[in-house]
Amino acid sequence: MTLTDPTTSSDAGAVLDGPALWSAQAHMPTVLGRQLVIDRGEGAYVVTTEGQRLFDGTAGLWHANVGHAHPELAQAAYDQMRRLETYHVFARYANDKAIALGERLAAIAPMERAKVILNSGGSDSIDVAAKLARRHWQREGRAEKTIVLSRDLSYHGLHAFGTSIAGLPFNREGYGSDSLVPETARVAQHDLADVERTILELGPERIAAIVTEPVQGTGGVHPPAPGYLEGLQRLCREHDILLVLDEVITGFGRTGTMFAAQRYGVEPDLVTFAKGVTSGYAPLGGVLVSPRIWEPFYVDSVETPIFRHGVTYAGHATASAVALAHLDVLERDGLVARVGELEAVLRQQLDGLAARQAGVVDVRVAGLLGGVELAPELDAVRVTDALVDLGFISRPLRGNTLQLSPPFIIADEELVSFVAAIEHAIIQEGNR
């Protein structure tokens, strides 16, 4: 890291120079010179350019479910690129891998007869789902149904719609208005009575959709309160509001079922997905669409409208080939069922941690998703820094919470060691 002359005469201090890469979600002055540069991966571990081997306790950004450097996924990408890197799926064109992936995803979707919209990632998926929800009601002749609701502490990516419906205020601040896309609002995180009050105050005739993560991730790993998702579905049905499940984190096994909708017994109108569809080996996301929504766009009539969606890499052939190979690995190796086994280990370990350490305010578990909420006097950022020194990666989330979401391929003893390292780092922080 080097210092350059300040570009202004401000009292803010010198302008810091560093790599050309502007890191994501970063307060740059405090990360420059401290970045961990990852050089390679080995299963559940990554290795830095300095040679430090780290247990990947977050699976990257919740996505490396089958671990890093899986040879079958690398081979799938290589083979596909040698044949056809990609071809777009606009209008009458398609490619064989995108078609095959659509069929595969429709067969495992948490709704019958789903159609599949493919794109490049989770933020894309949220934008498409929110637009499709509003487009649905316009087509129905109910033009007043435009409001998109989301929950307090929710995270839905950082495209325009995802920024607008975020339940984390800091992701909406600084853009000149409370909502980049107008007509959005937040509802209570767990309180169904409060959700219903909000619906009635805004007017159900004005609400297009409610978007929710089944398990809130970035907001601090919050599983739904008992009955909440079922109650949300009931409210949506009673008030003719579309239910959109954001399964970008939870999809493809993270909660012990292929989709969290199946774990919690919910039948959504739309499901967004990304991350786990390829285990992060290629950027791919999409939306699962129920017949209620897609059928009017498939009627054989000159009056049938077009839904104007699509990005250049939608249905990317190589990404689709990797996704197909990844789904093969999930099924062949029984990794979704394995998550259920690991959940029991994680829950036992975190319950024990909470019982032993007064600095642990709460622990939360759903599948292989865990959150450890620390007391205010403990700093989650410093704890995660200490964990790196111990050879483990966690991440500080909103609410002074530590993230645990390792790959599905780990052994029980690795999960036990991860929690033991967290306890060591908490004790170290408490003794500061």
Side-chain angles (χ1 to χ4, degrees):
M1 182 178 72
T2 60
L3 294 177
T4 63
D5 291 332
T7 56
T8 71
S9 58
S10 165
D11 292 333
V15 175
L16 302 179
D17 194 13
L21 177 66
W22 191 340
S23 298
Q25 294 284 62
H27 179 251
M28 293 309 299
T30 54
V31 302
L32 285 173
R34 300 179 62 245
Q35 284 123 322
L36 295 165
V37 182
I38 305 303
D39 173 65
R40 63 188 186 276
E42 302 169 349
Y45 295 81
V46 293
V47 181
T48 72
T49 52
E50 301 297 319
Q52 185 181 14
R53 188 169 186 261
L54 298 167
F55 178 77
D56 190 2
T58 62
L61 287 175
W62 323 85
H63 63 256
N65 296 345
V66 299
H68 301 283
H70 198 294
E72 291 176 55
L73 302 195
Q75 188 66 48
Y78 174 81
D79 290 345
Q80 182 60 40
M81 285 185 179
R82 288 294 302 271
R83 179 178 178 179
L84 173 71
E85 77 293 342
T86 195
Y87 208 81
H88 68 81
V89 296
F90 281 45
R92 65 179 296 194
Y93 290 91
N95 66 73
D96 61 336
K97 291 301 186 293
I99 291 173
L101 179 60
E103 296 301 317
R104 187 81 170 268
L105 294 174
I108 61 175
M111 69 269 279
E112 297 292 328
R113 299 175 55 238
K115 296 294 184 187
V116 182
I117 294 173
L118 295 175
N119 52 46
S120 300
S123 291
D124 282 0
S125 302
I126 286 293
D127 261 29
V128 169
K131 287 169 61 180
L132 181 54
R134 289 176 65 160
R135 185 70 180 88
H136 167 77
W137 294 116
Q138 301 299 300
R139 189 208 55 74
E140 289 278 298
R142 301 174 68 179
E144 71 284 358
K145 288 180 78 69
T146 57
I147 296 173
V148 178
L149 301 181
S150 52
R151 293 166 68 196
D152 289 338
L153 304 188
S154 63
Y155 177 81
H156 301 290
L158 292 175
H159 284 1
F161 247 118
T163 297
S164 300
I165 65 176
L168 298 166
F170 52 76
N171 278 334
R172 294 200 312 275
E173 292 170 354
Y175 300 108
S177 60
D178 181 59
S179 180
L180 288 175
V181 178
E183 298 165 306
T184 70
R186 260 57 59 200
V187 299
Q189 182 189 21
H190 293 302
D191 187 342
L192 282 171
D194 191 75
V195 173
E196 186 163 27
R197 278 193 297 272
T198 301
I199 290 172
L200 295 175
E201 287 169 2
L202 292 172
E205 73 283 357
R206 299 176 57 217
I207 300 172
I210 295 177
V211 183
T212 181
E213 301 161 276
V215 179
Q216 292 183 320
T218 303
V221 186
H222 293 277
Y228 180 89
L229 291 178
E230 300 92 324
L232 206 60
Q233 177 173 266
R234 174 182 55 78
L235 289 173
C236 286
R237 299 295 181 259
E238 288 177 0
H239 296 291
D240 214 5
I241 296 167
L242 300 184
L243 178 61
V244 182
L245 287 193
D246 180 349
E247 295 233 31
V248 168
I249 289 174
T250 54
F252 305 98
R254 181 55 70 175
T255 66
T257 52
M258 188 60 76
F259 292 93
Q262 294 152 339
R263 172 172 176 144
Y264 296 110
V266 179
E267 298 180 4
D269 297 294
L270 299 167
V271 174
T272 62
F273 65 88
K275 297 188 187 295
V277 67
T278 67
S279 266
Y281 279 70
L284 190 149
V287 185
L288 304 174
V289 185
S290 67
R292 175 188 183 187
I293 309 301
W294 66 257
E295 282 182 347
F297 293 91
Y298 277 68
V299 174
D300 187 7
S301 167
V302 295
E303 304 298 325
T304 300
I306 297 173
F307 176 50
R308 298 290 181 179
H309 73 87
V311 295
T312 299
Y313 300 123
H316 194 281
T318 300
S320 297
V322 171
L324 289 163
H326 170 254
L327 292 171
D328 287 344
V329 171
L330 278 186
E331 293 174 8
R332 183 197 67 210
D333 295 350
L335 292 178
V336 176
R338 174 63 178 148
V339 169
E341 299 170 359
L342 289 166
E343 177 177 5
V345 178
L346 180 60
R347 189 177 300 278
Q348 180 186 50
Q349 293 300 307
L350 291 188
D351 285 347
L353 174 66
R356 291 188 301 271
Q357 296 300 324
V360 174
V361 173
D362 191 22
V363 294
R364 297 179 286 270
V365 177
L368 200 50
L369 281 170
V372 177
E373 183 178 342
L374 303 179
E377 62 270 18
L378 302 179
D379 187 332
V381 174
R382 286 200 297 261
V383 170
T384 55
D385 285 347
L387 279 167
V388 169
D389 294 337
L390 295 170
F392 295 84
I393 295 175
S394 180
R395 199 162 68 104
L397 303 176
R398 175 253 150 228
N400 210 30
T401 297
L402 308 177
Q403 174 185 339
L404 296 84
S405 58
F408 302 171
I409 60 169
I410 61 171
D412 290 15
E413 53 268 26
E414 289 175 308
L415 190 51
V416 172
S417 296
F418 185 24
V419 177
I422 289 172
E423 183 163 20
H424 183 88
I426 288 171
I427 292 170
Q428 182 176 316
E429 171 67 9
N431 290 334
R432 279 176 60 92

Coordinates of all heavy atoms in Angstrom, one line a residue, residues 112-145:
E112 N -45.5 -27.4 -9.2 CA -45.8 -28.2 -10.3 C -45.7 -27.4 -11.6 O -46.0 -26.2 -11.7 CB -47.2 -28.8 -10.2 CG -47.4 -29.8 -9.0 CD -46.5 -31.0 -9.1 OE1 -46.3 -31.5 -10.3 OE2 -46.1 -31.6 -8.1
R113 N -45.2 -28.1 -12.7 CA -45.2 -27.5 -14.0 C -44.5 -26.1 -14.1 O -45.0 -25.2 -14.7 CB -46.6 -27.4 -14.6 CG -47.3 -28.7 -14.7 CD -48.8 -28.6 -15.1 NE -48.9 -27.8 -16.3 CZ -49.6 -26.7 -16.4 NH1 -50.3 -26.2 -15.4 NH2 -49.7 -26.1 -17.6
A114 N -43.4 -26.0 -13.4 CA -42.7 -24.8 -13.4 C -42.0 -24.5 -14.8 O -41.6 -25.4 -15.5 CB -41.6 -24.8 -12.4
K115 N -41.9 -23.2 -15.2 CA -41.1 -22.8 -16.2 C -39.8 -22.1 -15.6 O -39.9 -21.7 -14.4 CB -41.8 -21.8 -17.1 CG -42.9 -22.3 -17.9 CD -42.5 -23.4 -18.9 CE -43.8 -23.8 -19.7 NZ -43.4 -25.0 -20.6
V116 N -38.8 -22.0 -16.4 CA -37.5 -21.6 -15.8 C -36.9 -20.4 -16.6 O -36.8 -20.5 -17.9 CB -36.5 -22.7 -15.8 CG1 -35.1 -22.3 -15.2 CG2 -37.0 -23.9 -15.1
I117 N -36.7 -19.3 -16.0 CA -36.0 -18.2 -16.6 C -34.6 -18.2 -16.1 O -34.3 -18.2 -14.9 CB -36.6 -16.8 -16.2 CG1 -38.0 -16.7 -16.9 CG2 -35.8 -15.6 -16.7 CD1 -38.8 -15.5 -16.4
L118 N -33.6 -18.2 -17.0 CA -32.2 -18.3 -16.6 C -31.5 -16.9 -16.8 O -31.9 -16.2 -17.8 CB -31.4 -19.3 -17.4 CG -31.9 -20.8 -17.2 CD1 -31.1 -21.7 -18.2 CD2 -31.6 -21.2 -15.8
N119 N -30.6 -16.6 -16.0 CA -29.8 -15.3 -16.1 C -28.4 -15.5 -15.5 O -28.0 -16.7 -15.4 CB -30.6 -14.1 -15.5 CG -31.0 -14.4 -14.1 OD1 -30.3 -14.9 -13.2 ND2 -32.3 -14.1 -13.8
S120 N -27.8 -14.5 -15.0 CA -26.4 -14.5 -14.6 C -26.2 -14.6 -13.1 O -25.0 -14.7 -12.7 CB -25.6 -13.4 -15.2 OG -25.7 -13.4 -16.6
G121 N -27.2 -14.4 -12.2 CA -26.9 -14.5 -10.8 C -28.1 -14.0 -10.0 O -29.2 -13.8 -10.5
G122 N -27.9 -14.0 -8.7 CA -29.1 -13.7 -7.8 C -29.7 -12.3 -7.9 O -30.9 -12.2 -7.8
S123 N -28.8 -11.3 -8.0 CA -29.4 -10.0 -8.2 C -30.2 -9.8 -9.5 O -31.3 -9.2 -9.5 CB -28.3 -8.9 -8.2 OG -27.7 -8.8 -6.9
D124 N -29.7 -10.5 -10.6 CA -30.5 -10.5 -11.8 C -31.9 -11.2 -11.5 O -32.9 -10.7 -12.0 CB -29.8 -11.4 -12.8 CG -28.7 -10.7 -13.5 OD1 -28.4 -9.5 -13.3 OD2 -28.1 -11.3 -14.4
S125 N -31.8 -12.3 -10.8 CA -33.1 -13.0 -10.5 C -34.1 -12.2 -9.8 O -35.3 -12.3 -10.1 CB -32.7 -14.3 -9.7 OG -31.8 -15.1 -10.4
I126 N -33.7 -11.5 -8.8 CA -34.6 -10.6 -8.0 C -35.2 -9.6 -8.9 O -36.4 -9.3 -8.9 CB -33.9 -10.0 -6.8 CG1 -33.7 -11.0 -5.7 CG2 -34.7 -8.8 -6.2 CD1 -34.9 -11.6 -5.1
D127 N -34.4 -8.9 -9.8 CA -34.9 -7.9 -10.7 C -36.0 -8.5 -11.6 O -37.1 -7.9 -11.8 CB -33.8 -7.3 -11.5 CG -33.3 -6.0 -11.0 OD1 -33.4 -5.8 -9.7 OD2 -32.9 -5.1 -11.8
V128 N -35.7 -9.7 -12.1 CA -36.6 -10.4 -13.0 C -37.9 -10.7 -12.3 O -39.0 -10.5 -12.8 CB -36.0 -11.6 -13.7 CG1 -37.1 -12.4 -14.4 CG2 -34.9 -11.2 -14.7
A129 N -37.8 -11.3 -11.1 CA -39.0 -11.7 -10.4 C -39.9 -10.5 -10.0 O -41.1 -10.6 -10.1 CB -38.6 -12.5 -9.1
A130 N -39.3 -9.4 -9.5 CA -40.1 -8.3 -9.1 C -40.7 -7.7 -10.4 O -41.9 -7.3 -10.3 CB -39.2 -7.3 -8.4
K131 N -40.0 -7.6 -11.5 CA -40.6 -7.1 -12.7 C -41.8 -8.0 -13.2 O -42.8 -7.5 -13.6 CB -39.6 -7.0 -13.8 CG -38.6 -5.8 -13.6 CD -37.4 -5.9 -14.6 CE -37.8 -5.8 -16.0 NZ -36.6 -5.9 -16.9
L132 N -41.5 -9.3 -13.1 CA -42.6 -10.3 -13.6 C -43.8 -10.2 -12.7 O -44.9 -10.3 -13.2 CB -42.0 -11.7 -13.6 CG -42.9 -12.8 -14.1 CD1 -43.5 -12.5 -15.4 CD2 -42.2 -14.1 -14.1
A133 N -43.6 -10.0 -11.4 CA -44.8 -9.8 -10.5 C -45.6 -8.6 -10.9 O -46.8 -8.7 -11.0 CB -44.3 -9.7 -9.0
R134 N -45.0 -7.5 -11.1 CA -45.7 -6.3 -11.5 C -46.3 -6.5 -12.9 O -47.4 -6.1 -13.2 CB -44.8 -5.1 -11.5 CG -44.5 -4.7 -10.0 CD -43.5 -3.6 -9.9 NE -44.0 -2.3 -10.5 CZ -43.6 -1.1 -10.1 NH1 -42.6 -1.0 -9.2 NH2 -44.1 0.0 -10.7
R135 N -45.5 -7.1 -13.8 CA -46.1 -7.4 -15.2 C -47.3 -8.3 -15.2 O -48.2 -8.1 -16.0 CB -44.9 -8.0 -16.0 CG -45.3 -8.2 -17.5 CD -45.4 -6.8 -18.2 NE -45.7 -7.0 -19.6 CZ -47.0 -7.0 -20.1 NH1 -48.0 -6.9 -19.3 NH2 -47.2 -7.1 -21.4
H136 N -47.3 -9.2 -14.3 CA -48.4 -10.1 -14.2 C -49.7 -9.4 -13.9 O -50.7 -9.6 -14.5 CB -48.2 -11.1 -13.0 CG -49.4 -11.9 -12.6 ND1 -49.9 -12.9 -13.3 CD2 -50.2 -11.7 -11.5 CE1 -51.0 -13.4 -12.7 NE2 -51.2 -12.7 -11.6
W137 N -49.7 -8.5 -12.9 CA -50.9 -7.7 -12.6 C -51.3 -6.7 -13.6 O -52.5 -6.5 -13.8 CB -50.7 -7.1 -11.2 CG -50.5 -8.0 -10.1 CD1 -49.5 -8.2 -9.3 CD2 -51.5 -9.0 -9.7 NE1 -49.7 -9.3 -8.4 CE2 -51.0 -9.8 -8.6 CE3 -52.8 -9.3 -10.1 CZ2 -51.7 -10.8 -8.0 CZ3 -53.5 -10.3 -9.4 CH2 -52.9 -11.0 -8.4
Q138 N -50.3 -6.1 -14.3 CA -50.6 -5.2 -15.4 C -51.4 -6.0 -16.5 O -52.4 -5.6 -17.0 CB -49.4 -4.6 -16.0 CG -48.5 -3.8 -15.1 CD -49.3 -2.6 -14.5 OE1 -49.7 -1.7 -15.2 NE2 -49.4 -2.6 -13.2
R139 N -50.9 -7.2 -16.8 CA -51.6 -8.0 -17.8 C -52.9 -8.4 -17.4 O -53.9 -8.6 -18.2 CB -50.7 -9.3 -18.1 CG -51.1 -10.1 -19.3 CD -50.7 -11.6 -19.1 NE -51.2 -12.1 -17.8 CZ -52.5 -12.4 -17.6 NH1 -53.4 -12.3 -18.5 NH2 -52.8 -12.9 -16.4
E140 N -53.1 -8.6 -16.0 CA -54.4 -9.0 -15.5 C -55.4 -7.8 -15.5 O -56.6 -8.0 -15.1 CB -54.3 -9.5 -14.1 CG -53.6 -10.8 -13.9 CD -54.6 -12.0 -14.1 OE1 -55.5 -12.1 -13.3 OE2 -54.4 -12.7 -15.1
G141 N -54.9 -6.7 -15.9 CA -55.8 -5.5 -15.9 C -55.9 -4.8 -14.5 O -56.9 -4.0 -14.3
R142 N -55.0 -5.1 -13.6 CA -55.0 -4.5 -12.3 C -53.8 -3.7 -12.1 O -52.9 -4.0 -11.3 CB -55.1 -5.7 -11.2 CG -56.4 -6.5 -11.4 CD -56.4 -7.7 -10.5 NE -56.6 -7.3 -9.1 CZ -56.7 -8.2 -8.1 NH1 -56.6 -9.5 -8.4 NH2 -56.9 -7.8 -6.9
A143 N -53.8 -2.6 -12.8 CA -52.6 -1.7 -12.9 C -52.2 -1.1 -11.6 O -51.0 -0.7 -11.5 CB -52.9 -0.6 -14.0
E144 N -53.1 -1.1 -10.6 CA -52.7 -0.4 -9.3 C -51.9 -1.3 -8.5 O -51.3 -0.9 -7.5 CB -54.0 -0.1 -8.6 CG -54.8 -1.2 -8.0 CD -55.7 -2.0 -9.1 OE1 -55.6 -1.6 -10.3 OE2 -56.4 -2.9 -8.7
K145 N -51.8 -2.6 -8.8 CA -51.0 -3.6 -8.0 C -49.5 -3.5 -8.4 O -49.0 -4.2 -9.3 CB -51.5 -5.0 -8.1 CG -52.8 -5.2 -7.4 CD -53.4 -6.6 -7.6 CE -52.7 -7.6 -6.7 NZ -53.0 -7.4 -5.2

